C-alpha cells in the first residue's frame, strides 16, 4: 500500500467519523425539527458526506473509483433506516451519474446493494443495534464488499477480471475494517443514549406502576414532547399513543392555563424546582375541556444533563363541572336566600366575631345564640379528616390568596348524626392593602344530595359500564335512550336510534307474527324474556338473549319499557360447534359413535312401540391398512371421504350412515317390511365400494365385509345389536371378505367361547399353565435324532390339554403371543442346557416364532442373546422357525431382527415351504439355514407324482444355495425312502414319533444314547 492510498484511507475514515458525529448530535437537534422532515434532513446530510467521500477515492482503477462510500451507505441503512438511506442513495447516485464513465451503472448498483444489505441487517437487529459485536460488524463489512466486487462483472469480462484480481485483496482487507471501526462507534452512541433514557424510564415505570391504575402518566423531554404515555392518559385525551407522542403537551394545554404552567416549568428547567403541582385544563381530541390536577417532577442525569419530565394526571373534570354548577346555583339562590333553608354566616375578620342565622344553628342542633357565643363549636364538630381541608380554605382567605371559599365536609350534630355540609364564602370587604375585613357565606345541608348523588352515580355507572345492552322505549316502540353497550353491540350510535322505531332492528330471520305476539304479551303482562334475531347497522344478523320489563309508575299506567340484552350469537355457534364435534365425525361429517348410539336407542324404543323392524349393518373396509401404509394417511382420508359419499348414495333419506372410527362404518335401515331390501342394499354397497378409487395419481381398489343383524329378531337392545353386527362382520371376513353375512346364534356361542378362552389364556400366562413337548427331527444320513421341534401344550385346569391350534391364533390377535413366545424361548434354552449337562447331548431345539413377535417393539434380540449368554449356551442351540409370509411382507423392524438373529448365530428355519408364495429372493438375504418342505407335498408323495418332482427340485435348489432341507409330516416308510433318495437332509413326522413330553423324549432318545455310549466305551477297553 503506497503513501497516497494511506492518506486516502485517513481522509475516508475522517469523513466516516463525521457520520458518527452527526449521529451523536442528532438528539440535540431532532426535537427542533418537524418529526416528518427529520428523516429527510438526516438522509440529505448522509448523502452529502457520501459525496465528499466519493471525491477522495482510495484507489483510482479505471473505470472504477474505489472509495468508502459503500461503508457509509451500508451503515446508514443499518443505523438510520429506509427513508434517510433512500435520500442518501439518490444524492450519491446523482453525483455518480454526474461523474460519468462507462462504470456508472456499476457504481450505482454498488450503492444500492450496500444500502439494501444494511437495511436487511437492520430488520433483524433494529432492537439490538447497541449489542452488535466486533465479529458481526466485520462479517457485515465482508458481506457488503463481497457483493460490491461481484458487481464488477457487469463490465467486460477481461476488464472485470483484471480489476477484480488487482483490487479484491485491498478492498476486502481495508473496507471491512473501516466498517467494523465506524460501526462500533455508532453502536456505542446508540448504547449510550439507550442506557441513559432507558434507565430514567425504567426507574419511573417501576416506581409508579406506569401502565396500570386510573391516573394518567407521561414522560416528556425538555422540548415538551411526550416520549411515553400510559393507556389511561390516551383515553383521557382521546388520542392514540402514537398521536400523543407526535405532539407537545404545550399544544394540548388550554390557552388560559399555559402561562402559569410555563413559568413553573422554566423554574424547573433552571433547577430552581424539582417538582410542582398545578390544576390545569387540556383540550381533548374531540374539542372538550379536560380538567386535571397534575403532579410534575423531573429526572436529571448529572453527567450529560439528560432531562426527563414525569407528570401524573388526575382527571377532575367531573368535580370542576360540579363546582361550576354549584357556583351557578349560588348566584341564583342569592335571590331567594332569605326565604330558603340555607345557613348564613358573617365573619368579621378583624374582631374574629362570627354571626350565624337560625338554620345554621339547626344544622348543628343548638340555638342561634349558643352558636354565636361559641362559634368554635362549629369547627369542633367537623370530621377530623375534613378539618385540615376546612382550615386551609379559611387560611387561603386570610392570607389573601383567595377571595372565595367553597368546601365540602362532614359535620356531626348534637344528636350524633353525620351531615354533609357545603360551605361557601366570599370576601365582601378589604382594607387598603387588600387584606380581607369581612367574609360572608352560607351553609348548605347537602346530606340528601350526597345520598342521591351516590345512588345516581351507582345507577349511572351500572347503566354506562354494563356489558349488557340497555335501552328505554315507549309503548309505541319509540326509542328514548340507550347505553354504550347498546351501541357497541348493535353498531348504531345513540344519535342513530334516538326517537326511532324498534322496527329498524328487525330481520328476515325472525317471523313477522313474532313481533305481534311480543307486543301483545308486553301489553298484557308487562314483561318478556327469550331469544330474538336482530340486525346490526352493517346488515349482519345476530342472536340476542332479550329481557323486557315495564317501568311501573304509581301515578299513571306504565308507558315506558326497559330492554336488556346480550349478544349470544357466538355462544350459540360455539354450543352448536361443540354439539357437532361431539356427535359427528370430523373427517366425513357422518354421525359418530355417540350420535349413532343415541339414534339407535331412539329407534329401538320407537320400533318396539310401533312393532316395526330395522336392520343394523356393521361394515369394515378390507385392506384399508395397506392403502394407509403404501399411499399415506392423507390418501387414506380421501378414500374414507369417498366411501362415506358412496354409502350415502346406497340408502334412503330415512336411513342413517355413521362412522365409528378408522375404517368402520354402520348403516341403520329403518322401517323394514322384509329382509329382501336389506340384501339389495348390501349388494349395492359391495358393488359401489368395489369400484376403483382415484387417490391422487394412484388408483386403489378395496372391498368391504358387512355384518347384518335385525331388530327385534336377533336382539332387542342397542348393545346386543352392535355386538351381533360386529360378530357377523368378522364372520364375513373369515369367509373370504367382500361379502355380507347375517348374524346367527352359532356366532354368539362362538364369540362367547372365544371371550372365555381369552380370559383363561391371560390367567394361563400368569400361572404358567403351559408345557413344552418335543418332536424329534431325524438326520436321514445316520438315522440319529440331533434336533427337536418344541411344541407348546396348554394344561387347562378344567378343560384339560389344549393344543396350540386352538389358542395360538387368538394369542396372536390379542398380542399375548409375545409373552407366550418369550416363555417358550426361555424354557427351550433351559432344556437345551439341562440336556447338555445331564446327557452330554447337543440337541438343537426349534421354536416357532410368530410374525407378531417380530413386529412387537418390546421384543428385543439383545434380551434373548443375553439370556443365552447367562446360561453359557451356544447360540446354535436354538433354531427359530418362521413362515414364508413374514418374508413377503417384510418391515424394517422385522428385517433388522432377522439379520440380528443370523449375525448372532441363531439359525433360521423357513417353515411350510412350498405351500404358498415361495420367496426365493429372500432365502440368501436373510441367511436361511433350513427349509421345511410343507407336509402337504410330503403326504402326497409317490414314485411318479408331481409332488416328488417338486420336492426333488426344492432339495436341489436349497443345496445349491447351501441350505439344508427338512421334510415334515412323514408318516409312511415309502415317504421316508423317497425323501432319502431325493437327498433330503432331515425328516420329521409320526413315522418317527409324535411330540413327546420332556421325560418321554429323554427316555426314548437321550437315556438310551448315553447307555450305548457307555457300553461302547466298556467294550473298547
Amino acid at each position: 500500500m503506497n503513501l497516497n492510498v494511506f492518506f486516502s484511507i485517513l481522509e475516508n475514515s475522517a469523513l466516516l467519523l463525521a457520520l458518527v458525529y452527526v449521529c451523536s448530535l442528532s438528539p440535540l437537534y431532532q426535537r427542533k425539527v418537524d418529526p416528518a422532515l427529520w428523516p429527510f434532513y438526516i438522509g440529505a446530510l448522509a448523502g452529502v458526506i457520501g459525496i465528499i467521500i466519493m471525491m477522495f477515492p482510495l484507489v483510482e482503477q479505471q473505470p472504477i473509483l474505489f472509495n468508502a462510500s459503500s461503508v457509509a451507505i451500508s451503515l446508514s441503512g443499518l443505523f438510520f433506516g429506509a427513508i434517510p438511506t433512500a435520500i442518501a442513495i439518490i444524492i450519491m447516485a446523482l453525483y455518480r451519474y454526474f461523474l460519468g464513465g462507462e462504470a456508472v451503472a456499476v457504481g450505482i448498483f454498488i450503492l444500492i446493494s450496500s444500502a439494501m444489505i444494511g437495511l436487511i441487517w437492520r430488520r433483524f437487529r433494529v432492537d439490538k443495534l447497541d449489542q452488535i459485536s466486533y465479529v458481526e460488524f466485520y462479517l457485515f463489512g465482508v458481506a457488503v464488499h463481497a457483493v460490491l466486487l461481484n458487481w464488477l462483472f457487469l463490465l467486460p469480462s477481461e476488464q472485470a477480471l483484471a480489476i477484480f484480481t488487482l483490487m479484491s485483496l485491498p478492498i476486502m482487507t481495508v473496507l471491512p475494517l473501516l466498517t467494523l471501526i465506524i460501526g462500533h462507534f455508532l453502536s456505542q452512541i446508540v448504547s449510550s443514549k439507550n442506557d441513559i433514557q432507558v434507565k430514567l424510564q425504567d426507574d419511573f415505570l417501576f416506581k409508579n406502576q406506569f401502565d396500570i391504575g386510573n391516573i394518567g402518566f407521561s414522560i416528556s423531554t425538555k422540548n415538551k414532547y411526550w416520549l411515553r404515555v400510559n393507556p389511561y392518559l390516551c383515553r383521557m385525551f382521546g388520542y392514540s399513543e402514537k398521536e400523543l407522542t407526535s405532539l407537545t403537551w404545550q399544544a394540548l394545554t388550554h390557552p388560559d392555563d399555559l402561562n402559569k404552567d410555563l413559568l413553573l416549568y422554566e423554574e424547573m428547567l433552571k433547577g430552581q424546582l424539582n417538582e410542582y403541582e398545578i390544576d390545569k385544563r387540556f383540550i381533548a381530541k374531540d374539542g372538550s375541556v379536560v380538567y386535571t390536577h397534575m403532579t410534575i417532577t423531573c429526572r436529571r442525569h448529572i453527567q450529560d444533563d439528560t432531562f426527563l419530565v414525569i407528570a401524573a394526571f388526575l382527571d377532575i373534570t367531573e368535580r370542576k363541572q360540579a363546582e361550576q354548577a354549584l357556583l351557578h346555583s349560588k348566584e341564583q339562590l342569592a335571590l331567594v336566600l332569605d326565604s330558603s333553608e340555607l345557613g348564613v354566616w358573617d365573619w368579621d375578620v378583624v374582631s374574629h366575631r362570627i354571626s350565624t342565622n337560625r338554620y345554621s344553628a339547626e344544622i348543628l342542633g343548638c340555638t342561634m345564640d349558643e352558636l354565636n357565643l361559641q362559634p368554635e363549636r362549629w369547627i369542633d364538630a367537623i370530621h377530623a379528616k375534613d378539618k385540615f381541608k376546612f382550615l386551609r380554605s379559611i387560611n387561603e382567605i386570610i392570607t389573601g390568596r383567595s377571595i372565595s371559599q367553597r368546601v365540602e365536609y362532614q359535620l356531626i350534630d348534637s344528636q350524633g348524626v353525620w351531615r354533609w355540609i357545603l360551605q361557601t364564602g366570599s370576601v365582601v370587604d378589604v382594607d387598603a392593602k387588600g387584606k380581607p375585613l369581612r367574609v360572608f357565606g352560607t351553609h348548605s345541608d347537602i346530606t340528601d344530595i350526597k345520598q342521591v348523588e351516590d345512588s345516581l352515580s351507582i345507577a349511572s355507572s351500572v347503566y354506562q359500564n354494563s356489558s349488557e345492552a340497555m335501552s328505554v322505549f315507549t309503548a309505541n316502540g319509540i326509542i328514548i335512550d340507550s347505553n354504550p353497550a347498546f351501541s357497541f353491540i348493535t353498531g348504531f350510535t345513540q344519535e342513530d336510534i334516538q326517537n326511532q322505531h324498534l322496527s329498524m332492528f328487525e330481520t328476515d330471520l325472525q317471523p313477522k307474527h313474532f313481533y305481534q305476539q311480543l307486543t301483545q304479551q308486553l301489553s298484557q303482562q308487562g314483561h318478556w324474556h327469550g331469544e330474538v334475531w336482530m340486525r346490526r347497522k352493517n346488515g349482519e344478523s345476530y342472536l340476542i338473549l332479550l329481557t323486557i320489563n315495564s317501568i311501573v309508575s304509581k301515578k299513571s299506567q306504565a308507558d315506558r319499557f326497559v330492554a336488556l340484552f346480550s349478544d349470544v350469537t357466538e355462544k350459540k355457534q360455539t354450543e352448536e360447534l361443540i354439539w357437532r364435534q361431539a356427535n359427528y365425525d370430523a373427517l366425513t361429517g357422518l354421525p359418530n359413535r355417540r350420535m349413532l348410539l343415541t339414534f339407535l336407542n331412539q329407534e329401538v324404543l320407537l320400533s318396539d312401540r310401533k312393532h316395526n323392524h330395522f336392520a343394523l349393518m356393521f361394515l369394515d373396509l378390507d385392506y384399508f391398512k395397506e392403502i394407509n401404509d403404501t399411499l399415506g394417511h392423507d390418501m387414506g382420508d380421501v378414500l374414507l371421504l369417498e366411501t362415506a359419499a358412496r354409502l350415502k348414495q346406497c340408502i334412503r333419506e330415512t336411513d342413517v350412515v355413521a362412522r365409528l372410527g378408522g375404517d368402520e362404518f354402520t348403516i341403520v335401515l329403518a322401517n323394514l317390511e322384509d329382509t329382501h331390501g336389506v340384501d339389495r342394499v348390501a349388494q349395492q354397497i359391495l358393488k359401489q365400494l368395489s369400484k376403483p378409487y382415484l387417490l391422487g395419481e394412484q388408483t386403489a381398489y378395496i372391498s368391504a365385509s358387512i355384518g347384518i343383524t335385525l331388530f327385534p329378531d336377533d336382539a332387542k337392545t342397542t348393545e346386543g345389536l352392535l355386538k351381533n353386527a360386529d360378530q357377523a362382520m368378522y364372520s364375513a371376513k373369515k369367509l373370504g371378505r367382500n361379502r355380507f353375512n347375517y348374524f346367527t346364534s352359532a356366532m354368539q356361542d362362538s364369540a362367547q367361547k372365544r371371550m372365555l378362552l381369552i380370559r383363561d389364556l391371560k390367567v394361563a400366562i400368569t400361572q404358567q399353565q403351559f408345557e413344552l413337548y418335543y418332536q424329534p427331527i431325524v438326520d436321514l444320513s445316520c438315522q440319529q435324532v440331533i434336533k427337536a421341534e418344541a411344541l407348546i401344550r396348554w394344561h387347562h385346569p378344567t378343560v384339560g390339554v389344549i393344543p396350540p391350534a386352538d389358542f395360538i391364533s387368538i394369542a396372536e390377535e390379542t398380542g399375548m403371543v409375545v409373552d407366550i413366545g418369550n416363555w417358550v424361548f426361555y424354557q427351550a434354552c433351559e432344556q437345551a442346557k439341562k440336556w447338555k449337562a445331564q446327557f452330554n447331548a447337543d440337541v438343537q431345539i426349534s421354536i416357532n416364532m410368530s410374525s407378531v413377535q417380530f413386529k412387537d417393539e418390546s421384543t428385543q434380540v439383545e434380551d434373548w442373546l443375553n439370556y443365552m449368554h447367562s446360561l453359557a449356551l451356544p447360540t446354535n442351540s436354538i433354531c427359530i422357525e418362521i413362515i414364508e409370509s413374514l418374508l413377503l411382507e417384510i418391515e424394517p423392524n422385522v428385517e433388522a431382527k432377522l439379520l440380528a438373529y443370523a449375525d448372532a448365530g441363531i439359525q433360521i428355519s423357513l417353515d411350510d415351504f412350498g405351500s404358498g408364495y415361495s420367496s426365493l429372493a429372500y432365502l440368501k438375504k436373510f441367511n436361511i439355514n433350513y427349509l421345511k418342505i410343507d407336509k402337504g407335498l410330503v403326504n402326497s408323495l409317490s414314485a411318479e407324482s408331481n409332488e416328488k418332482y417338486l420336492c426333488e427340485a426344492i432339495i436341489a435348489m436349497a443345496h445349491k444355495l447351501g441350505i439344508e432341507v427338512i421334510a415334515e409330516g412323514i408318516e409312511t416308510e415309502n415317504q421316508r425312502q423317497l425323501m432319502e433318495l431325493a437327498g433330503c437332509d432331515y425328516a420329521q413326522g409320526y413315522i418317527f414319533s409324535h411330540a413327546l413330553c420332556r421325560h418321554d423324549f429323554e427316555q426314548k432318545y437321550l437315556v438310551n444314547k448315553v447307555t450305548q455310549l457307555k457300553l461302547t466305551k466298556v467294550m473298547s477297553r
Side-chain angles (χ1 to χ4, degrees):
M1 182 182 296
N2 59 35
L3 194 59
N4 290 333
V5 173
F6 177 76
F7 282 116
S8 296
I9 292 174
L10 290 179
E11 290 172 346
N12 279 249
S13 300
L15 291 169
L16 288 171
L17 287 172
L19 187 66
V20 176
Y21 182 70
V22 169
C23 182
S24 67
L25 293 179
S26 61
L28 300 177
Y29 300 99
Q30 184 171 357
R31 291 302 185 183
K32 298 180 180 180
V33 180
D34 189 330
L37 297 178
W38 177 253
F40 296 94
Y41 289 153
I42 196 70
L45 193 57
V48 170
I49 293 174
I51 290 176
I52 297 172
I53 291 174
M54 294 169 68
M55 292 179 179
F56 299 94
L58 298 175
V59 179
E60 293 189 15
Q61 183 64 38
Q62 295 297 329
I64 300 294
L65 300 179
F66 291 97
N67 51 60
S69 60
S70 56
V71 176
I73 199 67
S74 63
L75 289 175
S76 173
L78 179 60
F79 284 92
F80 298 155
I83 294 178
T85 304
I87 300 298
I89 286 177
I90 292 172
I91 294 173
M92 295 168 71
L94 290 173
Y95 178 73
R96 184 63 188 90
Y97 182 78
F98 172 77
L99 292 178
E102 59 181 302
V104 169
V106 174
I108 293 175
F109 287 152
I110 288 172
L111 292 173
I112 295 173
S113 64
S114 300
M116 291 303 295
I117 293 173
L119 290 172
I120 292 171
W121 214 288
R122 174 183 176 85
R123 180 179 179 184
F124 297 100
R125 302 291 284 169
V126 65
D127 295 328
K128 299 181 179 179
L129 292 174
D130 56 338
Q131 300 177 21
I132 299 178
S133 65
Y134 289 107
V135 174
E136 186 175 346
F137 273 124
Y138 184 77
L139 293 177
F140 174 73
V142 170
V144 170
H145 296 95
V147 174
L148 179 151
L149 290 174
N150 284 321
W151 285 116
L152 295 177
F153 291 98
L154 292 177
L155 298 172
S157 57
E158 293 183 1
Q159 189 178 27
L161 185 60
I163 296 174
F164 183 88
T165 304
L166 183 63
M167 298 305 303
S168 59
L169 182 59
I171 291 298
M172 295 306 293
T173 302
V174 174
L175 295 184
L177 289 175
L178 277 177
T179 304
L180 184 153
I181 295 168
I182 304 304
H184 176 68
F185 284 143
L186 291 172
S187 176
Q188 291 301 306
I189 292 171
V190 172
S191 175
S192 177
K193 290 189 292 184
N194 287 350
D195 287 346
I196 295 170
Q197 188 160 296
V198 168
K199 181 179 184 302
L200 290 176
Q201 290 189 42
D202 288 348
D203 179 65
F204 175 75
L205 295 176
F206 175 78
K207 293 181 179 179
N208 296 277
Q209 299 179 330
F210 187 81
D211 287 325
I212 63 174
N214 57 355
I215 298 177
F217 289 103
S218 72
I219 303 175
S220 58
T221 64
K222 284 184 178 180
N223 298 327
K224 307 177 187 65
Y225 275 89
W226 272 311
L227 292 176
R228 183 78 181 272
V229 292
N230 74 338
Y232 188 86
L233 189 64
C234 295
R235 294 195 297 272
M236 188 185 298
F237 294 155
Y239 288 92
S240 68
E241 183 178 356
K242 184 177 181 181
E243 291 172 333
L244 274 182
T245 52
S246 67
L247 299 171
T248 64
W249 56 259
Q250 184 177 359
L252 268 66
T253 303
H254 194 283
D256 295 342
D257 293 347
L258 184 59
N259 289 334
K260 63 179 181 180
D261 192 14
L262 287 177
L263 290 174
L264 294 170
Y265 189 81
E266 290 300 325
E267 291 180 7
M268 189 168 66
L269 288 180
K270 295 175 182 177
Q272 298 173 1
L273 292 175
N274 283 326
E275 61 181 22
Y276 63 90
E277 293 187 25
I278 187 173
D279 284 346
K280 181 177 175 182
R281 289 171 291 176
F282 288 88
I283 306 300
K285 185 176 182 180
D286 60 3
S288 62
V289 177
V290 180
Y291 291 82
T292 66
H293 178 76
M294 293 177 58
T295 301
I296 298 95
T297 185
C298 67
R299 293 291 184 270
R300 294 183 174 88
H301 193 267
I302 298 174
Q303 286 78 2
D304 57 3
D305 198 32
T306 304
F307 188 101
L308 289 179
V309 179
I310 300 97
F313 301 78
L314 181 63
D315 189 350
I316 59 173
T317 304
E318 292 184 3
R319 194 184 80 187
K320 285 292 185 181
Q321 291 173 345
E323 289 176 357
Q324 291 173 358
L326 288 174
L327 180 61
H328 180 67
S329 298
K330 175 188 174 184
E331 294 172 352
Q332 293 178 334
L333 289 173
L335 301 174
V336 292
L337 183 61
D338 294 334
S339 60
S340 64
E341 293 183 345
L342 194 65
V344 178
W345 55 274
D346 191 354
W347 176 27
D348 187 336
V349 179
V350 177
S351 63
H352 298 291
R353 188 182 71 250
I354 299 175
S355 60
T356 61
N357 69 346
R358 176 186 53 80
Y359 189 70
S360 292
E362 290 179 357
I363 291 175
L364 192 59
C366 63
T367 65
M368 187 173 64
D369 292 337
E370 289 174 341
L371 182 57
N372 288 332
L373 290 173
Q374 295 178 306
E376 65 274 9
R377 292 181 59 177
W378 186 274
I379 299 175
D380 292 341
I382 297 175
H383 196 290
K385 68 180 180 63
D386 294 331
K387 190 170 294 186
F388 175 77
K389 176 174 60 175
F390 172 81
L391 294 175
R392 185 174 62 181
S393 68
I394 296 296
N395 187 60
E396 291 286 325
I397 293 176
I398 294 174
T399 57
R401 288 198 293 267
S402 177
I403 61 172
S404 63
Q405 178 195 39
R406 183 181 182 85
V407 60
E408 293 179 3
Y409 52 84
Q410 283 185 289
L411 175 146
I412 188 168
D413 64 15
S414 60
Q415 302 298 320
V417 177
W418 286 102
R419 296 172 179 269
W420 273 100
I421 305 299
L422 170 62
Q423 178 170 320
T424 62
S426 294
V427 176
V428 296
D429 193 13
V430 295
D431 62 12
K433 296 181 179 181
K435 294 291 184 179
L437 298 175
R438 181 167 169 263
V439 183
F440 183 84
T442 62
H443 292 138
S444 301
D445 186 346
I446 60 172
T447 305
D448 293 340
I449 296 175
K450 281 291 185 179
Q451 291 174 349
V452 171
E453 283 182 355
D454 289 344
S455 299
L456 290 176
S457 176
I458 294 172
S460 176
S461 177
V462 171
Y463 185 73
Q464 294 296 327
N465 298 304
S466 173
S467 60
E468 301 279 339
M470 299 181 187
S471 65
V472 181
F473 58 92
T474 67
N476 296 326
I478 302 302
I479 302 171
I480 300 174
D481 191 21
S482 65
N483 70 343
F486 186 96
S487 299
F488 177 78
I489 292 176
T490 65
F492 291 96
T493 64
Q494 192 168 18
E495 292 76 14
D496 294 335
I497 62 173
Q498 192 74 33
N499 297 321
Q500 298 296 318
H501 195 271
L502 289 172
S503 59
M504 66 186 298
F505 303 111
E506 292 181 2
T507 174
D508 294 338
L509 295 179
Q510 201 71 46
K512 291 293 183 183
H513 64 82
F514 165 80
Y515 300 105
Q516 298 173 356
Q517 295 173 355
L518 174 59
T519 303
Q520 183 178 0
Q521 183 172 337
L522 286 177
S523 62
Q524 294 175 354
Q525 301 179 14
H527 62 85
W528 188 88
H529 178 78
E531 293 180 350
V532 184
W533 282 99
M534 286 180 61
R535 182 181 64 84
R536 286 193 175 93
K537 185 175 182 179
N538 61 9
E540 176 187 358
S541 294
Y542 61 104
L543 188 67
I544 64 169
L545 181 62
L546 174 65
T547 299
I548 302 177
N549 288 299
S550 61
I551 302 175
V552 179
S553 174
K554 295 181 179 179
K555 297 181 179 180
S556 62
Q557 284 191 331
D559 59 354
R560 297 289 186 270
F561 293 91
V562 175
L564 176 70
F565 67 85
S566 57
D567 186 349
V568 296
T569 310
E570 185 175 348
K571 177 183 177 184
K572 282 291 183 182
Q573 290 173 345
T574 302
E575 289 175 352
E576 182 179 351
L577 177 62
I578 293 172
W579 180 85
R580 186 162 188 83
Q581 289 175 340
N583 293 280
Y584 285 86
D585 176 52
L587 175 64
T588 62
L590 296 175
N592 60 12
R593 179 182 292 274
R594 176 191 177 97
M595 189 69 170
L596 173 69
L597 292 175
T598 302
F599 177 78
L600 275 178
N601 289 330
Q602 295 173 351
E603 193 67 19
V604 166
L605 293 174
L606 182 63
S607 298
D608 189 46
R609 187 166 59 250
K610 294 185 176 182
H611 305 289
N612 290 339
H613 292 69
F614 70 86
L616 175 64
M617 292 183 174
F618 197 105
L619 182 148
D620 185 87
L621 300 181
D622 301 327
Y623 311 113
F624 176 73
K625 183 178 183 299
E626 285 74 6
I627 299 294
N628 265 347
D629 293 343
T630 56
L631 301 182
H633 289 277
D634 290 342
M635 290 298 102
D637 289 345
V638 174
L639 186 143
L640 290 174
L641 281 168
E642 177 64 20
T643 299
R646 294 185 187 185
L647 289 176
K648 287 192 285 188
Q649 293 173 1
C650 297
I651 62 171
R652 303 166 298 178
E653 290 186 1
T654 56
D655 301 329
V656 172
V657 180
R659 182 186 177 211
L660 299 187
D663 59 343
E664 294 180 342
F665 295 85
T666 56
I667 301 99
V668 181
L669 305 178
N671 298 323
L672 296 178
E673 295 181 0
D674 53 55
T675 59
H676 299 299
V678 180
D679 291 352
R680 286 194 300 271
V681 173
Q683 292 287 2
Q684 181 67 13
I685 290 173
L686 293 176
K687 180 180 177 181
Q688 288 294 326
L689 297 186
S690 64
K691 294 179 181 180
Y693 288 79
L694 296 178
L695 306 178
E697 298 179 355
Q698 303 290 330
T699 300
Y701 294 88
I702 63 167
S703 59
S705 299
I706 304 174
I708 305 172
T709 187
L710 301 174
F711 175 89
D713 307 68
D714 299 329
K716 294 185 178 181
T717 65
T718 300
E719 294 78 8
L721 290 168
L722 287 171
K723 182 171 62 175
N724 293 348
D726 186 47
Q727 292 175 7
M729 183 274 293
Y730 275 107
S731 178
K733 278 193 178 293
K734 290 181 180 179
L735 292 173
R737 308 179 188 236
N738 193 25
R739 65 181 65 228
F740 63 89
N741 194 55
Y742 282 91
F743 171 78
T744 64
S745 58
M747 286 182 197
Q748 181 66 30
D749 295 338
S750 176
Q752 187 69 21
K753 291 179 181 178
R754 185 175 182 275
M755 183 182 68
L756 293 174
L757 190 63
I758 292 173
R759 183 196 66 188
D760 293 347
L761 189 56
K762 291 180 180 179
V763 176
I765 294 173
T766 304
Q767 298 180 357
Q768 296 188 1
Q769 297 174 358
F770 305 109
E771 181 183 1
L772 287 186
Y773 276 54
Y774 303 91
Q775 187 174 28
I777 299 175
V778 178
D779 186 343
L780 292 177
S781 63
C782 62
Q783 302 301 316
Q784 295 294 318
V785 175
I786 62 172
K787 300 162 67 70
E789 180 178 1
L791 301 170
I792 193 170
R793 298 292 184 268
W794 177 9
H795 291 284
H796 194 281
T798 57
V799 178
V801 177
I802 301 178
D806 292 345
F807 68 87
I808 290 298
S809 61
I810 294 176
E812 288 181 325
E813 292 175 12
T814 58
M816 289 187 282
V817 73
V818 175
D819 293 329
I820 295 174
N822 288 333
W823 181 87
V824 169
F825 171 77
Y826 295 138
Q827 291 294 314
C829 289
E830 292 174 6
Q831 192 60 63
K833 176 68 174 178
K834 290 177 182 178
W835 284 345
K836 176 67 176 177
Q838 292 178 7
F839 306 107
N840 195 27
D842 293 319
V843 179
Q844 186 187 63
I845 300 178
S846 297
I847 60 173
N848 291 282
M849 192 168 177
S850 168
S851 60
V852 176
Q853 291 175 264
F854 275 97
K855 296 175 183 178
D856 179 64
E857 296 292 340
S858 65
T859 303
Q860 301 295 330
V861 178
E862 292 79 5
D863 295 340
W864 283 17
L865 296 177
N866 291 337
Y867 187 73
M868 296 183 75
H869 179 72
S870 67
L871 296 176
L873 186 67
T875 53
N876 62 0
S877 301
I878 299 296
C879 177
I880 295 175
E881 291 195 10
I882 61 174
I883 57 177
E884 287 182 283
S885 61
L886 182 67
L887 301 182
L888 294 174
E889 301 176 2
I890 196 70
E891 297 179 3
N893 186 36
V894 176
E895 181 177 353
K897 287 182 179 179
L898 279 172
L899 294 175
Y901 285 131
D903 292 342
I906 296 179
Q907 294 185 322
I908 307 296
S909 176
L910 192 59
D911 201 5
D912 298 333
F913 190 82
S915 62
Y917 303 97
S918 302
S919 179
L920 304 180
Y922 291 106
L923 294 179
K924 291 303 294 178
K925 179 179 179 180
F926 296 108
N927 295 324
I928 303 300
N929 303 101
Y930 303 101
L931 289 183
K932 294 188 77 172
I933 299 177
D934 182 62
K935 58 186 176 182
L937 293 176
V938 175
N939 289 339
S940 302
L941 280 178
S942 63
E944 300 297 330
S945 65
N946 290 332
E947 286 76 6
K948 173 191 172 187
Y949 301 135
L950 285 173
C951 289
E952 290 174 346
I954 291 171
I955 294 169
M957 178 272 298
H959 286 171
K960 286 290 186 181
L961 295 174
I963 300 173
E964 295 183 295
V965 181
I966 303 171
E968 61 177 340
I970 295 180
E971 299 180 357
T972 66
E973 179 62 24
N974 181 53
Q975 293 170 355
R976 187 193 67 76
Q977 291 177 358
L978 288 173
M979 294 307 298
E980 187 174 354
L981 290 173
C984 186
D985 301 291
Y986 302 97
Q988 177 183 356
Y990 291 161
I991 189 174
F992 304 109
S993 174
H994 288 74
L996 303 172
C997 66
R998 176 190 59 79
H999 179 267
D1000 292 344
F1001 186 89
E1002 291 174 353
Q1003 292 299 318
K1004 186 172 182 179
Y1005 295 108
L1006 300 181
V1007 173
N1008 292 338
K1009 183 177 180 180
V1010 171
T1011 303
Q1012 290 174 2
L1013 288 173
K1014 289 180 179 179
L1015 288 174
T1016 301
K1017 289 180 180 179
V1018 170
M1019 292 176 65
S1020 64
R1021 291 177 183 173

